[in-house]
Structures are given as C-alpha cells and as structure tokens.
C-alpha cells in the first residue's frame, strides 16, 4: 500500500514539474502572486528553488527559539539580509516576533497564563517590551537597505492603536539609525496580519493606516470558531469552510481592495485547492504556501476561468453549514 502511495506521489511531483519557472496565472492569464512561508534563512533558498515568487511569511520566532538569550541586532540583521539576498528582486514579508500562545521562549521569563492564546503574546508582548522590539525593528530596517525588498508584518493585531504604536517605534528606530549614519530602508512597508476577528471587522479602518494585509487563516479560524487549534478533542470545529470564516476572509479582501492595498493569505488555507476558486474570484493578491506546495498551488490556479470561479464561489457562499460548503467545494474542484 505504501509503495503504491509513494509511486503516486512521485508521479504527481513529476507532473507538476512543468509548472516550475512558469508564471502564476489563471486560465485566462490573470496574474496572482505565489509566495512561500519560511522559518529560517536556509529555507529561503529552498523556496526560491521551488519556484516561489517571494516570501509571504518569515516566522522570525524560530530565530529566538532553541537558544538561551536574545539574538543580537547584528545576528538578526544577518538572518534577514540572507533572506533578502536569497530572494533578490522579490518581495520578502517578515513577521515580527510572534511569541506566546503555542510558542514559548524560556529565557524571556514570560509568566504562565491561564489562557495563553488570549494572553500577553505577539504584538501585545512586543509593544510592552520596546527595548527588545526595537532591536528587531532596527535589524529589519538595516537589512532592507541593500535589496529594498523587505516588508514588515505585525502579528495578532486587534486595534489601530497597536499599528500606530508600532509605527511610532519604527519611526524612532529610523531616527536613531539616521543619527548613527547607518544605512536603512526609509520606505519600508508596514503591514498587518489579519488573524483575529477584531482585525477582520475593522479591516476597512486598518487598511487606511497600513500598506498591506496578509490573512492568517490558522489563527483567524481558531479565534472566529473559538476553538483551540491544537486541541484534538475539538478539531471537528476547526474548519475554514465555516461560513463565518469564509465571510470574514471575503470581507477582509474586499476592504483591502477598496483601500487599494494588496491582500495576501499566509495561513494553511492558501494551499487548499478547494478554496482557490473563492480566493481567485474575491481578488486575493497573493497566496503564500509552504515551499512543497508551491507548484501544486500554481497548477490549481492555472485551471480556473474567472467566470467559473465566480460561480463556484457564489454557490459555496449560498450554503449554510461548514459540512455543506466543504462537500460542495470538494466536488467542484477539478482533479
Ligand atoms: C496564521 O495564524 O494563519 C499564521 C500563518 O501564523 P501562525 O501559523 O504562525 O500562527
Ligand atoms: Mg498566527
């Protein structure tokens, strides 16, 4: 049985090879971005090799884990510069430290919390530790000086104040670098990861004060459905096909488009072939998936005509249960 599956996987990989180096376009030539998610500079090379057109999410917390002290500004600068160089001429979206929740960093001495996923984590923690956060922001600004292809993304945003405070710190870092005579990217874009219901519901307001969105469906699903993404007992409830999650995604894309900013998706849902017609017809700018899913996602995007995708999206959004939507999309997606 396993040998059979291995052969099927090999054949599928071979079939997908024709998409390597091709543009990511739908059946009518409409272009979409296809980026990769990475957790280390080494993975950037693998992403480029896999045909990714950029990095849609660099999870920087992995630079902070498996060690006993904070990485210095220079260490971080070198890591971000390595990714910028590996992707020269292509966009690199780097998410600032997303600590807490399921990602513990022992040496930070963070207090144990009753509800860590709802607690002092990610942007909340970083804004309360400007000493630590500024080191990362300075490293990012400096690393962007050479290739001008780095963009900063804020995790777990729930309010405009968080974006404003982060932007204030970024401006402070720029002023410091200016007075120290160190080169940095003066125009570095600042974007918001939309992964909480609060951010999704105020997407129109956030879009006025940031340069791009990326929808984090892993957490957006968790928080919208009020279901712990790591708890097997409730895993049936954890589904992106729930109309609440899909409506949320649709309205975030619409808000970004209305404000004229790009909207990407870097959660696992971006690589689900069943959701592709919806995301295409709603006007997602870029799909960011694991390096191993790049070619398969490109192949799926190639299959769809705009009108066909629109009809499938309309039908799916007319259904009222997650099971109904998932069943319909599973049969609508072509093999
Ligand atoms: C997400 O929440 O969708 C996401 C991409 O980030 P992470 O999985 O790292 O929380
Ligand atoms: Mg997340």
């Amino acid at each position: 049985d396993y040998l059979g599956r291995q052969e099927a996987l090999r054949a599928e990989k071979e079939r997908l090879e024709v998409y390597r180096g091709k543009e990511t376009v739908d059946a009518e030539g409409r272009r979409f971005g296809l980026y990769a998610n990475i957790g280390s500079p080494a993975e950037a090379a693998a992403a480029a090799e896999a045909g990714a057109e950029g990095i849609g999410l660099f999870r920087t917390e992995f630079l902070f884990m498996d060690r006993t002290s904070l990485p210095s500004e220079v260490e971080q600068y070198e890591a971000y510069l390595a990714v910028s160089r590996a992707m020269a001429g292509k966009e690199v979206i780097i998410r600032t430290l997303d600590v807490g929740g399921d990602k513990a960093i022992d040496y930070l001495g963070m207090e144990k919390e009753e509800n860590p996923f709802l607690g002092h984590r990610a942007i909340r923690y970083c804004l309360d530790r400007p000493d630590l956060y500024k080191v990362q922001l300075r490293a990012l600004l400096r690393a962007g000086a050479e290739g001008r292809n780095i963009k900063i993304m804020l995790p777990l945003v729930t309010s405009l104040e968080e974006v404003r405070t982060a932007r204030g710190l970024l401006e402070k870092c720029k002023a410091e670098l200016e007075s120290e005579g160190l080169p940095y990217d003066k125009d570095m874009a600042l974007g918001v990861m939309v992964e909480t219901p609060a951010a999704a519901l105020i997407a129109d307001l956030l879009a006025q004060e940031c340069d791009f969105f990326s929808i984090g469906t892993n957490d957006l699903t968790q928080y919208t459905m009020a279901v712990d993404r790591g708890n097997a007992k409730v895993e049936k409830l954890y589904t992106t096909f729930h109309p609440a999650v899909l409506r949320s995604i649709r309205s975030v894309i619409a808000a970004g488009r209305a404000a004229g900013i790009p909207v990407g998706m870097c959660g696992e849902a971006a690589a689900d072939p069943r959701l592709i017609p919806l995301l295409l017809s709603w006007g997602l700018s870029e799909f960011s998936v694991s390096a191993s899913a790049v070619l398969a996602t490109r192949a799926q995007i190639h299959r769809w005509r705009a009108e066909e995708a629109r009809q499938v999206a309309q039908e799916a959004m007319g259904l009222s249960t997650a099971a109904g939507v998932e069943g319909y999309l599973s049969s609508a997606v072509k093999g």
Side-chain angles (χ1 to χ4, degrees):
D1 180 47
Y2 275 108
L3 284 171
R5 291 198 215 177
Q6 189 181 44
E7 175 51 25
L9 270 176
R10 198 203 52 74
E12 170 71 358
K13 255 183 116 175
E14 197 176 294
R15 188 182 68 76
L16 291 174
E17 272 306 308
V18 299
Y19 292 98
R20 193 181 294 278
K22 279 221 177 128
E23 286 195 334
T24 304
V25 287
D26 70 6
E28 290 154 323
R30 198 160 61 121
R31 186 126 199 210
F32 294 87
L34 179 55
Y35 293 5
N37 296 343
I38 60 167
S40 71
E43 286 176 33
E49 166 77 9
E53 299 153 10
I55 298 299
L57 169 65
F58 177 8
R59 292 181 162 101
T60 60
E61 48 281 4
F62 294 109
L63 291 177
F64 292 71
M65 291 159 102
D66 292 330
R67 48 186 296 149
T68 52
S69 62
L70 285 165
S72 68
E73 180 176 317
V74 172
E75 269 177 89
Q76 291 191 52
Y77 162 77
E78 282 169 357
Y80 307 146
L81 182 61
V83 178
S84 162
R85 285 182 177 163
M87 283 282 150
K90 298 180 175 128
E91 235 168 49
V92 172
I93 299 177
I94 302 186
R95 176 175 76 186
T96 62
L97 183 60
D98 188 9
V99 65
D102 55 346
K103 297 159 193 141
I105 297 178
D106 291 342
Y107 59 81
L108 288 178
M110 294 168 80
E111 277 170 36
K112 263 218 158 339
E113 296 174 301
E114 195 123 329
N115 291 301
F117 279 108
L118 304 180
H120 196 219
R121 57 168 295 209
I123 188 82
R124 303 167 181 182
Y125 180 82
C126 288
L127 293 180
D128 286 344
R129 290 287 313 268
D131 54 322
L132 170 159
Y133 202 32
K134 276 175 63 192
V135 173
Q136 182 169 41
L137 296 176
R138 281 175 55 105
L140 286 165
L141 285 165
R142 289 178 61 192
E146 185 182 289
R148 303 253 159 183
N149 58 344
I150 292 180
K151 294 175 156 191
I152 297 178
M153 179 156 77
L154 309 175
L156 210 79
V157 166
T158 53
S159 72
L160 264 177
E161 289 92 326
E162 287 162 341
V163 180
R164 289 175 185 162
T165 310
R167 198 180 281 286
L169 279 177
L170 196 63
E171 292 307 317
K172 240 187 218 163
C173 292
K174 287 185 191 171
E176 281 175 19
L177 293 170
E178 189 71 46
S179 70
E180 291 163 31
L182 289 168
Y184 66 96
D185 183 356
K186 293 182 173 59
D187 307 310
M188 190 168 283
L190 183 69
V192 164
M193 193 157 173
V194 181
E195 53 181 345
T196 64
L201 287 165
I202 59 163
D204 57 330
L205 307 176
L206 291 169
Q208 301 304 319
E209 301 197 24
C210 70
D211 302 309
F212 65 94
F213 283 156
S214 183
I215 306 176
T217 50
N218 305 341
D219 276 316
L220 186 61
T221 303
Q222 156 166 271
Y223 293 120
T224 301
M225 298 300 299
V227 59
D228 179 344
R229 69 194 242 189
N231 183 339
K233 280 199 202 121
V234 284
E235 74 184 351
K236 271 209 210 104
L237 293 172
Y238 183 88
T239 169
T240 313
F241 295 102
H242 192 288
V245 182
L246 292 177
R247 286 181 189 190
S248 184
I249 294 170
R250 181 177 61 181
S251 76
V252 171
I253 298 174
R257 282 168 62 97
I261 61 168
V263 183
M265 177 177 284
C266 59
E268 295 299 319
D272 190 323
R274 296 167 295 181
L275 293 171
I276 284 178
L278 281 66
L279 301 173
L280 292 177
S281 71
W282 295 339
L284 191 76
S285 323
E286 103 251 342
F287 296 73
S288 192
V289 303
S290 65
S292 59
V294 166
L295 295 183
T297 305
R298 183 173 291 145
Q300 283 295 335
I301 292 173
H302 266 261
R303 296 198 162 125
W304 290 95
R305 295 186 172 281
E307 178 53 24
E308 239 180 330
R310 194 196 60 74
Q311 278 175 16
V312 169
Q314 191 180 6
E315 180 79 25
M317 295 308 281
L319 299 168
S320 42
T321 64
V325 174
E326 185 173 1
Y328 167 68
L329 288 176
S330 300
S331 65
V333 166
K334 312 164 206 184

